[in-house]
Amino acid sequence: MEPLSGFLLGLILVVASSAQNNCTCTTNKWMVCAEDASGNCNCTLVGSNHKVHCSTLTSKCLLMKAEMILLKEKRRWLLDNDGIYSPECEDSGIFKARQCNQIDTCWCVNSAGVRRTEKGDESLSCGELVRTSSIYIELKHKKRSSAFDVPDIANALKHLFESRYKLHPKYIAAVKYDSPFIQIHLNQNEKSRCDVDIADVAYYFEKDIKNDSVFHSHDALTVSVNGGALDFEKIRIYYVDEKPPEFCMRQLVAGVSTVVTVVILTAGFGVAVLVILRWLWTRKYEKVEIKEIGEIKAPSLQ
């Protein structure tokens, strides 16, 4: 614990010194920056020697890697539906096609780091990294007295993605609005080397919505629509790959079988209840009938 604490203390001192020298990475707060002999500001990812260009967004994989290093001392880990793991990145910063956790369980991911195959052991082969070509972002804004106009919402969000996240407007396929719900469709079948990746944009945007901005300034996200504040309270992100996921039918069949079993048991229980109720009703009716017959025959016995 002490070496790691010393490392973090040194990191804080380096960052503070960098801030004084005005040598910082505006697009990533998890950077260690220092001026070289020529006065150039060079920034490397915390905990590694990986140099990062601060004029654009840092890849999602490298961001997750930095988060893991910084949160490890607090015994907190990056969690998702696939368990606890530290993402492995290529030299270019993109995700490696195969990811593994601490118990040697592996799976294949897409370019957004989302699992797209069944889990296996270390012998699992993933091949190429499948690209995420479309992303759907669903938002909900806080209640207000009146809804925004659809064109105003669309223009404000397009401006936000272009100015803050450096995303070219051509990659914003659609913005739909049905107060208080907003859906943003990002589509990027192909991209040049100078374009930001929509997966990185979505991650930066998600961190902003959750008040955990990656930008060095730590400024909270503010969006104005015709002078009115657009405050978000919920976000969900859905990823669509160039190739369909490779989940086997076994898991699907198991899920369907479970649903069918529950339906059959529920129906069987309902039928059993009806039979019991009918039997109780019939028994009660027979008792009443016997009693009435007995009362009718009673006088003839005297």
Side-chain angles (χ1 to χ4, degrees), residues 48-94:
S48 73
N49 294 321
H50 197 109
K51 291 185 178 181
V52 176
H53 297 288
C54 296
S55 59
T56 186
L57 303 185
T58 306
S59 70
K60 180 180 177 180
C61 187
L62 292 178
L63 291 177
M64 291 175 62
K65 196 75 175 178
E67 286 180 280
M68 173 63 72
I69 295 172
L70 293 174
L71 297 178
K72 191 173 181 180
E73 182 181 336
K74 298 180 180 179
R75 299 185 181 276
R76 295 171 56 190
W77 302 81
L78 294 182
L79 300 175
D80 66 5
N81 295 332
D82 302 315
I84 302 173
Y85 75 100
S86 176
E88 294 297 327
C89 312
E90 300 285 1
D91 292 338
S92 61
I94 65 174

Side-chain angles (χ1 to χ4, degrees), residues 82-232:
D82 302 315
I84 302 173
Y85 75 100
S86 176
E88 294 297 327
C89 312
E90 300 285 1
D91 292 338
S92 61
I94 65 174
F95 285 92
K96 288 187 176 181
R98 192 186 75 161
Q99 297 291 328
C100 301
N101 60 17
Q102 293 180 314
I103 55 175
D104 300 328
T105 299
C106 303
W107 58 91
C108 303
V109 300
N110 57 20
S111 61
V114 179
R115 183 165 68 93
R116 52 175 282 108
T117 66
E118 298 291 347
K119 294 180 180 180
D121 54 26
E122 291 184 316
S123 65
L124 177 68
S125 177
C126 294
E128 65 176 345
L129 181 71
V130 177
R131 177 170 172 72
T132 297
S133 56
S134 290
I135 294 179
Y136 290 88
I137 303 175
E138 292 185 353
L139 301 161
K140 180 182 179 182
H141 67 67
K142 295 181 180 180
K143 291 182 179 180
R144 60 192 322 272
S145 58
S146 61
F148 294 104
D149 291 332
V150 177
D152 295 336
I153 281 280
N155 291 333
L157 290 175
K158 288 179 180 178
H159 176 72
L160 171 70
F161 277 76
E162 183 179 4
S163 61
R164 187 174 179 88
Y165 309 111
K166 312 303 178 185
L167 182 67
H168 196 285
K170 66 181 180 181
Y171 298 127
I172 305 176
V175 177
K176 297 181 180 179
Y177 177 52
D178 183 13
S179 182
F181 301 102
I182 304 170
Q183 185 183 79
I184 305 172
H185 177 201
L186 306 181
N187 189 64
Q188 194 177 50
N189 292 323
E190 296 180 359
K191 84 175 191 68
S192 63
R193 295 184 61 181
C194 61
D195 288 330
V196 294
D197 194 290
I198 57 174
D200 302 335
V201 172
Y203 193 67
Y204 267 79
F205 184 52
E206 181 181 15
K207 299 290 283 185
D208 277 339
I209 297 296
K210 296 180 177 180
N211 294 321
D212 186 21
S213 178
V214 179
F215 292 101
H216 188 272
S217 61
H218 302 281
D219 290 339
L221 177 66
T222 57
V223 182
S224 177
V225 181
N226 283 341
L230 179 60
D231 297 320
F232 304 105

Side-chain angles (χ1 to χ4, degrees), residues 256-289:
V256 173
S257 299
T258 301
V259 174
V260 171
T261 301
V262 172
V263 171
I264 292 176
L265 290 176
T266 302
F269 178 76
V271 171
V273 171
L274 290 175
V275 171
I276 294 174
L277 290 176
R278 181 178 177 81
W279 177 77
L280 292 173
W281 173 259
T282 303
R283 184 181 178 188
K284 180 179 179 181
Y285 178 77
E286 290 177 349
K287 286 183 177 181
V288 172
E289 186 179 32

Side-chain angles (χ1 to χ4, degrees), residues 241-255:
D241 297 343
E242 292 179 341
K243 297 181 180 180
E246 301 174 7
F247 295 101
C248 66
M249 292 300 294
R250 179 175 55 191
Q251 183 178 5
L252 178 60
V253 170

